[in-house]
Amino acid sequence: MTTTQNSRPAPDESGGVPERPTGGTAAPLPGEAGQVSEKEARQVAEAARESTWDRPSFGKELFLGRFRLDLINPWPCSDAEADARAEEFLGRLREFLTTEVDGAAIERDARIPDEVFQGLARLGAFGMKIDPAYGGLGLSNLQYCRALMLAGSVSPAIGALLSAHQSIGVPQPLKLFGSPEQKQRFLPRLAAGEVSAFLLTEPDVGSDPARLATTAEPTEDGTGYRLNGVKLWATNGTVATLLVVMARVPAADGRRGGITAFVVDGDAEGITVERRNEFLGLRGLENSLTRFHDVFVPKENVIGGEGKGLKIALTTLNTGRLSLPAMCVGAGKWSLNVAREWSAERVQWGRPVGEHEAVAQKLAFMAATTYGMETMLDLCCRLADDDRNDIRIEAALVKLYASEMAWRIADDLIQIRGGRGYETAESLAARGERPAAVEQILRDLRINRIFEGSTEIMHLLIAREAVDAHLSVAGDIIDPDAGLGRKARAGARAGVFYAKWLPTLAVGRGQSPRAYAEFGPLAGHLRQVERASRKLARSTFYAMSRWQGRMERKQAFLGRVVDIGAELFAMAAVCVRAHAERDDHPENVELADLFCRQARVRVDALFTSLWDNTDSVDVAAAKRILAGRYADLESGVITPPADLPWVTGWSAGPSTATDVRRRIPPSR
């Protein structure tokens, strides 16, 4: 529900993989917000995405059928000195979370106490990713994610607070795009404990940023802008004193305009926090509906220049997305601990329940998958900490994979715990039993499949990157707006590219029974990954040849392609990690083997369903459902009242609501 679910430019909800802009240049932005066309929405998304690949990407190569194991093997090392400094901080954080934070009270009261904010500020937790030159701790992505994992295990609301503040809030965009003056002006405040938020989503703007309606009108004297609009689902919005706000600057003579990122003072005149939103989980989340009415923002607060807002959001999320899987990994570890201890102690039918095959399968899945998620995250963090790598695909894959798998793990945990899994921790404690908050972790995890790009949108975003090489050489062939000349030139380019590429998909190293022998018992899994990556590339090419321009509508097919890629990425990662740690942690070789065996079953099923499925039947049925053909099926129940709209409209103007913002007193 954080605004980052929409911060990566995305296709509109009815479309698929965005079109490649014509002529090789960024497409113009729509002149006005509102009901833009499908083509305009895609052009906005395409213009914002990073179009070049000037650094290596394991994920990109994998989808092209090129298994570049050398990009992740040997297992990347982190800086030992920096790790030692981080461990000292993590120790202090652990002590604070253990002794000063009551996660149950946060859940019960739906509020993180002021004292917790103040304690986190004293520790420097609000400056974990901020450079020491500005008062921060300067943690690596790897150690930052470990800190989030630790915090989230005590209270997922605290994990979300710290993540939204640093991964997508003011610190990260300024780190990447801010001017020296902006960094000096804002970062010390944030490192000292002020909270930031990111505001993009609007009541009627979800994954389609082309329809953004918040405006930033330049003032006549040229000193700044006037912001007007309403922003929804701003995590930290009720407590933030500094905001990143995305607003549309109107185009004019000499001014291209477009969606622009601003740093806005949270206490500026004209800002009203109209309500704090409440959710299924993350009950301590400070999430707002915020109105801007003629809010003045000085021109010095523009980040990166006019019209750069969506590109800034996209680039920020290349690493910002890693915070969410960190908390999913933490949830997997927590769930595995509860499941293991309970399954060993609880006896049914004369044996511990964990020895019954039905439960044993769940335990094996939980252990293997937690190891897989952790490995993917660790690898992505280590690659992100090395500027020589492009991790846009890898970070998106781990976000997608971890959010889906953590949900399955939590669901299995409830099943293992039975009635006690459905019972609240408070009720368990009242009966004198260990208060394992299993039902809460399921509720808290559910949003991760929506946060920072829903699963459906993530499938399309990753698929767009996966087919980028094809669109780069052959996009004009399937572009209905391309003329004969462009199509002819594209045909020539495609002929050269495919003449070299297609033969590489026929035979590869994975067909040799001695390949990857240095990995010992895991070698067979790496051979399978190599063969499967080529098969995946062949399947994608065949689909593009078969459907051409209609490929963008094959969202279910594209989703399966991405899911296969995620499993192959995870398999490769666990094999490399387990091999690197085999002397110190020989048990990890067993976990890697277990994970790969399970993943291969899933991959086989996904390959089968690429072509053996009910996709076309489902789409046809959905059209009839939307037309009301089966509406009689809904009779016999009392449905929600229809006197209110599904999406509330809004109009510019001063707020008529009571301001509900919360300000945290400074630490004494």
Side-chain angles (χ1 to χ4, degrees):
M1 207 65 73
T2 179
T3 53
T4 49
Q5 76 175 70
N6 312 303
S7 52
R8 171 122 184 209
D12 77 317
E13 292 163 352
S14 64
V17 179
E19 296 171 347
R20 181 171 175 267
T22 58
T25 59
L29 294 170
E32 299 179 357
Q35 296 299 325
V36 299
S37 70
E38 182 177 343
K39 182 176 181 179
E40 286 177 319
R42 293 180 185 172
Q43 287 175 334
V44 170
E46 187 65 23
R49 66 175 290 272
E50 192 174 350
S51 59
T52 60
W53 293 89
D54 53 8
R55 291 172 295 167
S57 165
F58 177 81
K60 174 178 179 287
E61 297 296 317
L62 189 72
F63 281 108
L64 284 171
R66 299 192 283 244
F67 184 41
R68 290 285 309 278
L69 192 62
D70 60 296
L71 294 178
I72 62 172
N73 181 54
W75 187 253
C77 296
S78 55
D79 182 83
E81 185 177 340
D83 286 349
R85 291 194 303 269
E87 286 300 327
E88 190 274 332
F89 165 73
L90 290 174
R92 291 188 290 115
L93 178 62
R94 176 183 288 273
E95 176 68 16
F96 173 75
L97 293 168
T98 303
T99 61
E100 303 295 330
V101 177
D102 185 345
I106 293 173
E107 172 71 7
R108 181 182 63 249
D109 301 335
R111 179 184 176 93
I112 300 173
D114 291 352
E115 301 77 47
V116 173
F117 279 91
Q118 295 160 352
L120 291 170
R122 287 193 298 270
L123 286 170
F126 290 102
M128 287 187 284
K129 292 193 73 177
I130 296 175
D131 192 280
Y134 304 106
L137 300 179
L139 296 188
S140 66
N141 284 290
L142 180 65
Q143 300 297 356
Y144 167 66
C145 283
R146 288 177 177 172
L148 291 180
M149 191 186 310
L150 196 61
S153 67
V154 174
S155 170
I158 293 178
L161 160 73
L162 296 173
S163 169
H165 164 69
Q166 290 172 93
S167 296
I168 57 172
V170 176
Q172 188 68 7
L174 286 191
K175 176 182 177 180
L176 297 173
F177 298 98
S179 68
E181 185 275 335
Q182 289 173 333
K183 294 176 182 178
Q184 191 60 54
R185 188 152 50 103
F186 298 121
L187 292 182
R189 293 171 54 183
L190 297 165
E194 290 192 44
V195 180
S196 68
F198 178 82
L199 284 71
L200 172 62
T201 304
E202 298 175 0
D204 197 28
V205 177
S207 297
D208 181 5
R211 300 174 60 229
L212 194 81
T214 297
T215 59
E217 293 274 356
T219 57
E220 291 185 2
D221 59 9
T223 60
Y225 303 79
R226 292 284 178 183
L227 264 62
N228 285 277
V230 172
K231 295 294 186 179
L232 179 63
W233 293 333
T235 294
N236 296 347
T238 59
V239 294
T241 55
L242 285 173
L243 317 171
V244 177
V245 180
M246 296 290 176
R248 184 184 301 276
V249 177
D253 290 341
R255 183 192 299 276
R256 181 173 183 265
I259 297 172
T260 303
F262 299 87
V263 178
V264 180
D265 190 316
D267 291 321
E269 183 178 356
I271 296 178
T272 306
V273 179
E274 295 191 335
R275 68 170 284 109
R276 179 189 174 201
N277 301 306
E278 301 174 8
F279 305 112
L280 171 73
L282 296 179
R283 287 174 47 79
L285 202 67
E286 295 284 351
N287 185 288
S288 72
L289 174 71
T290 301
R291 177 178 291 268
F292 297 85
H293 175 61
D294 286 343
V295 177
F296 176 74
V297 182
K299 64 181 181 180
E300 293 80 14
N301 286 24
V302 172
I303 306 175
E306 284 186 8
K308 304 294 186 181
L310 291 183
K311 187 174 289 290
I312 288 171
L314 181 154
T315 307
T316 297
L317 276 178
N318 281 343
T319 55
R321 278 202 174 98
L322 298 177
S323 61
L324 188 148
M327 287 178 281
C328 290
V329 171
K333 290 173 175 284
W334 186 94
S335 299
L336 180 60
N337 173 265
V338 173
R340 176 180 59 81
E341 294 192 0
W342 166 258
S343 298
E345 182 175 313
R346 175 65 164 169
V347 175
Q348 292 285 275
W349 303 100
R351 288 191 295 168
V353 296
E355 294 183 8
H356 293 282
E357 187 175 275
V359 175
Q361 283 189 320
K362 291 179 171 58
L363 290 173
F365 168 77
M366 294 171 73
T369 306
T370 297
Y371 182 72
M373 293 191 303
E374 181 184 50
T375 302
M376 292 173 77
L377 175 64
D378 273 20
L379 177 58
C380 285
C381 287
R382 292 171 189 272
L383 293 175
D385 289 330
D386 182 348
D387 289 337
R388 292 174 297 178
N389 300 287
D390 187 323
I391 67 155
R392 74 183 89 160
I393 289 181
E394 291 85 344
L397 285 173
V398 71
K399 185 276 172 188
L400 168 69
Y401 193 83
S403 61
E404 287 293 323
M405 289 302 191
W407 169 255
R408 288 183 55 185
I409 286 173
D411 187 57
D412 277 353
L413 176 60
I414 282 192
Q415 198 69 19
I416 290 172
R417 283 275 286 163
R420 287 174 174 83
Y422 195 67
E423 190 173 3
T424 67
E426 188 174 25
S427 178
L428 289 166
R431 295 195 291 103
E433 295 191 0
R434 191 178 305 184
V438 172
E439 58 84 28
Q440 180 191 337
I441 201 168
L442 188 77
R443 290 187 287 103
D444 289 341
L445 280 171
R446 183 57 183 86
I447 188 57
N448 293 330
R449 299 169 66 201
I450 301 172
F451 263 178
E452 302 186 16
S454 69
T455 291
E456 293 74 21
I457 291 297
M458 294 303 298
H459 277 145
L460 300 180
L461 292 174
I462 299 168
R464 172 61 185 88
E465 302 296 353
V467 301
D468 185 57
H470 301 285
L471 293 181
S472 296
V473 299
D476 285 340
I477 296 176
I478 61 176
D479 185 351
D481 295 330
L484 291 176
R486 278 175 47 205
K487 288 183 181 293
R489 289 190 294 272
R493 289 196 306 269
V496 173
F497 173 77
Y498 290 120
K500 294 180 179 179
W501 177 69
L502 286 173
T504 67
L505 303 183
V507 179
R509 190 181 176 194
Q511 291 174 273
S512 170
R514 298 183 62 83
Y516 311 108
E518 65 272 23
F519 287 86
L522 302 177
H525 297 309
L526 290 175
R527 291 195 292 269
Q528 173 64 18
V529 173
E530 195 278 337
R531 295 194 300 270
S533 68
R534 287 187 285 111
K535 181 178 180 180
L536 183 62
R538 292 195 302 268
S539 299
T540 304
F541 174 73
Y542 172 71
M544 292 192 68
S545 302
R546 175 180 175 181
W547 291 314
Q548 299 187 29
R550 291 176 294 143
M551 177 82 159
E552 65 190 25
R553 297 292 182 186
K554 301 298 181 179
Q555 295 181 7
F557 177 91
L558 293 169
R560 296 182 193 106
V561 166
V562 170
D563 287 341
I564 292 170
E567 295 283 6
L568 298 181
F569 173 42
M571 289 174 66
V574 298
C575 289
V576 174
R577 176 191 173 186
H579 179 68
E581 299 174 345
R582 65 192 182 282
D583 293 334
D584 296 330
H585 296 282
E587 72 278 7
N588 284 357
V589 175
E590 300 167 5
L591 282 173
D593 178 66
L594 176 64
F595 175 83
C596 288
R597 289 174 184 270
Q598 295 174 357
R600 288 172 73 162
V601 173
R602 294 191 292 267
V603 168
D604 287 345
L606 286 165
F607 268 123
T608 298
S609 62
L610 281 179
W611 311 109
D612 186 6
N613 55 65
T614 61
D615 294 349
S616 59
V617 176
D618 295 339
V619 169
K623 291 179 180 178
R624 295 193 295 269
I625 292 168
L626 293 173
R629 180 173 177 82
Y630 310 128
D632 189 58
L633 184 61
E634 303 161 11
S635 64
V637 297
I638 300 173
T639 57
D643 56 336
L644 292 174
W646 287 111
V647 176
T648 303
W650 64 274
S651 57
S655 178
T656 59
T658 302
D659 194 303
V660 298
R661 80 185 69 195
R662 174 187 172 192
R663 287 292 172 257
I664 311 300
S667 178
R668 295 180 180 178

